[in-house]
Amino acid sequence: PKVLQSKGIIPGIKPHLKVYTLPGTNGDTVMQGLDSLAVRAREYYKAGARFAKWRSPITIPATDLAIQANMNDLARYALICQSEGLMPIVEPDVSLT
């Protein structure tokens, strides 16, 4: 990170882990990784990261459950990142079918 910073590049991280199919939704998805995010965000910050980008893929039409779960997850992600000093980039990755 120091080499990047010396060139004016601010390092960041994608902290989400993997896509998880939300049960009972016919294939709607959420991302995994919130449970351990605070610990990992603290380590990312110590390593030089200053922002994080969480991808939350959702296909429209989606169930109300999937929309609510993804929006809650994005809000939790942003709060956790801010509490650990990282600037959160919130990306609801919406696909229209």
Side-chain angles (χ1 to χ4, degrees):
K2 290 180 183 178
V3 172
L4 296 174
Q5 290 170 341
S6 72
K7 297 183 181 293
I9 299 170
I10 300 171
I13 189 76
K14 288 184 174 181
H16 54 267
L17 298 180
K18 66 179 186 173
V19 176
Y20 173 75
T21 302
L22 196 57
T25 64
N26 295 320
D28 288 337
T29 60
V30 293
M31 294 302 291
Q32 290 183 328
L34 284 173
D35 292 341
S36 60
L37 181 58
V39 172
R40 291 183 292 119
R42 197 171 304 122
E43 293 300 316
Y44 299 147
Y45 188 87
K46 286 180 188 174
R50 293 299 177 258
F51 71 90
K53 179 180 174 188
W54 185 277
R55 180 177 164 265
S56 186
I58 190 164
T59 302
I60 304 297
T63 61
D64 288 345
L65 175 62
I67 293 168
Q68 189 66 43
N70 275 284
M71 297 309 103
N72 285 340
D73 285 356
L74 286 170
R76 284 181 58 209
Y77 147 76
L79 288 170
I80 293 167
C81 283
Q82 288 175 341
S83 73
E84 299 303 328
L86 296 175
M87 170 65 70
I89 297 175
V90 177
E91 182 186 359
D93 185 4
V94 179
S95 298
L96 303 173
T97 58

